[in-house]
Amino acid sequence: MMDRSTLFFSLAIAATSALVACGGSSDAAAPVSTPPPAGSPAPPPAAPPPPAAPASTETPTLARTTVVSGLQSPWDLAFTPDGVMLFTEKCRGLSARFANGTTVGLFGISGSSLVAPDLFCEGQSGVHGIAVDPDFATGARYIYVFMASNLSTNPRTNRVVRLALSADSMSASARTDIIMNIAYKDVGNGVSGPGAHSGGRLRFGPDRFLYVTTGDNHNASLPQDPTRLGGKVLRVDRNGAAAPGNNAPQGFDPRIFTYGHRNVQGITFRPAGQPNAGQPFTAEHGPNHSDEVTALVAGGNAGWDPQNRPGLTCPSNYCGYAGTPATMPMTDTARFPNALRASWTNNGASQGMGPATFLDGAQWKAWNGRLMVAIMGGRRTVVLQLDAAGAATGDVTADLPATRIRSLVQAPDGNLYVVTDGGEIWRVVPS
Ligand SMILES: [Ca+2]
């Protein structure tokens, strides 16, 4: 029987091999060049890394600059390899910002280069995550957006759409909806109004597959449901097809990588050079306790199941807020003995933890390789030290302003970019 790390490495190797075999599967209609065709020779093995410098024990000093302000509910951002900043606003869509400060609307509301008439904004939902194709620099100029759409009805759904970005990054075209049936809370219930708990983060892993986080919609049966795409982490290729190695249990939708989640809004991958490099870690809000960071393993159950709790009083049969860590746990190891254990629980509190990014590079000094999470309700940003197995062994609060932070991204320039609910994007430079 394989242990977790062996299993994950096996998965990563299988996924990488499969991606090489499946290269060239991009949409033939898109006006962009394609990655190498199937059968292309594999790249030569990388040179061995140089000897590691001694790890710093010094906490970095953070210098913060406001890059953009005045945005309306910004949600996520990403960078193209040539340095264009892409950011989303929940009710407006996707925009590009260039180094000279020019900003153009790429996709979404009227006035965008590509209008999405099906986009709507309701409750917590609208336009959420943005990701850039890992082969963008070599010709697959694709970007991916998570959005609420009314193209499907009864219920409406969240979708992941792929767009082609023009050579000058000034316009988007060739919309292809690659996942169309992510659960959306169409109708309010006794817990909350419509649009609640959509998840919505998009990130490519170092395995070059797209990870999509989804939420439980305040619907009790979704997280453990084998076929509906809510309360899950999905892992797909650029066409939205299930990635190889997802290891979803028998009868599950093969796009499901992990299930039994509540509302994952952070996903990030352990950097090269760290134990279990490439392993995904999620951050999600707890109900009235236990925000959780979880190290994911393919096919794993994260253990959230807010249904069928006879001892609790559950509005609309949703027991998520009705219990305690003992009676309604974020990870129910009594029901699911093999559930993925949390790496960290925000010291047992629920303060709206969501965004997450690993810090990677010597510029982060003692924080190199640590996991940063933003705790929105708690208005703080926490840096976690993890052991080899992924369990937190310490946490410190970063010296950043106390505000609601919606997204954390380490950019190609090695600096941290922060999106706030107050409508700002910050650049944070460590020294
Ligand atoms: Ca859990």
Side-chain angles (χ1 to χ4, degrees):
M1 178 149 179
M2 290 189 283
D3 64 24
R4 282 165 54 138
S5 59
T6 307
L7 178 64
F8 190 77
F9 277 123
S10 301
L11 166 65
I13 291 165
T16 304
S17 305
L19 188 82
V20 170
C22 295
S25 60
S26 55
D27 179 1
V32 292
S33 60
T34 56
S40 295
S56 172
T57 57
E58 191 181 350
T59 298
T61 298
L62 306 180
R64 183 179 65 89
T65 308
T66 300
V67 178
V68 184
S69 58
L71 302 180
Q72 297 178 24
S73 300
W75 212 94
D76 200 10
L77 87 167
F79 291 86
T80 66
D82 47 357
V84 177
M85 177 193 287
L86 305 173
F87 65 87
T88 60
E89 293 168 282
K90 188 177 76 169
C91 299
R92 295 174 58 82
L94 170 70
S95 298
R97 186 181 187 278
F98 298 85
N100 65 5
T102 301
T103 299
V104 298
L106 292 176
F107 175 70
I109 62 170
S110 174
S112 305
S113 75
L114 182 61
V115 175
D118 58 314
L119 166 66
F120 68 95
C121 178
E122 181 177 55
Q124 298 170 352
S125 293
V127 179
H128 282 175
I130 166 71
V132 174
D133 195 286
D135 291 321
F136 188 97
T138 52
R141 291 182 65 88
Y142 292 126
I143 55 178
Y144 302 79
V145 178
F146 184 105
M147 62 177 280
S149 165
N150 61 22
L151 283 176
S152 305
T153 56
N154 298 319
R156 294 168 292 172
T157 63
N158 288 297
R159 293 182 172 222
V160 178
V161 305
R162 189 185 69 207
L163 307 169
L165 193 59
S166 62
D168 61 4
S169 299
M170 294 285 284
S171 63
S173 63
R175 170 177 167 173
T176 303
D177 294 21
I178 65 166
I179 306 178
M180 293 175 276
N181 59 337
I182 296 171
Y184 175 80
K185 185 178 182 182
D186 211 26
V187 179
N189 63 5
V191 181
S192 66
H197 282 197
S198 282
R201 199 69 67 183
L202 299 180
R203 292 287 183 269
F204 277 92
D207 59 6
R208 296 147 54 89
F209 289 108
L210 180 64
Y211 291 72
V212 182
T213 74
T214 74
D216 76 357
N217 296 185
H218 288 145
N219 177 325
S221 62
L222 266 182
Q224 298 293 326
D225 189 291
T227 58
R228 288 182 295 163
L229 304 184
K232 308 296 189 308
V233 174
L234 314 177
R235 178 170 166 273
V236 299
D237 67 14
R238 66 162 60 92
N239 298 311
N246 279 351
N247 197 31
Q250 183 76 27
F252 274 57
D253 188 303
R255 295 170 292 183
I256 294 172
F257 181 72
T258 54
Y259 62 105
H261 292 284
R262 185 167 182 272
N263 190 26
V264 176
Q265 295 197 324
I267 186 165
T268 182
F269 304 87
R270 210 161 188 186
Q274 297 288 319
N276 295 331
Q279 185 171 22
F281 281 66
T282 52
E284 57 186 308
H285 335 311
N288 43 6
H289 59 83
S290 312
D291 292 334
E292 283 189 344
V293 168
T294 307
L296 303 188
V297 176
N301 183 354
W304 175 244
D305 186 17
Q307 65 181 339
N308 304 328
R309 304 268 168 183
L312 304 180
T313 300
C314 304
S316 301
N317 296 316
Y318 183 84
C319 300
Y321 296 103
T324 66
T327 59
M328 184 56 259
M330 272 290 278
T331 302
D332 192 335
T333 55
R335 280 188 185 181
F336 313 111
N338 296 323
L340 302 171
R341 267 48 174 186
S343 298
W344 190 67
T345 67
N346 189 15
N347 306 313
S350 169
Q351 299 176 311
M353 182 166 65
T357 189
F358 274 99
L359 304 174
D360 184 22
Q363 72 275 21
W364 292 103
K365 298 187 172 175
W367 291 0
N368 184 13
R370 295 193 186 181
L371 175 61
M372 175 178 272
V373 294
I375 297 173
M376 290 182 284
R379 295 171 189 264
R380 62 199 178 96
T381 307
V382 175
V383 178
L384 303 177
Q385 187 164 12
L386 305 174
D387 66 15
T393 57
D395 57 80
V396 295
T397 297
D399 184 18
L400 289 170
T403 192
R404 290 176 62 90
I405 288 172
R406 188 59 63 171
S407 182
L408 296 169
V409 173
Q410 184 175 319
D413 66 8
N415 297 317
L416 177 72
Y417 286 75
V418 178
V419 176
T420 76
D421 274 4
E424 295 185 333
I425 297 174
W426 306 337
R427 177 172 54 241
V428 176
V429 178
S431 64

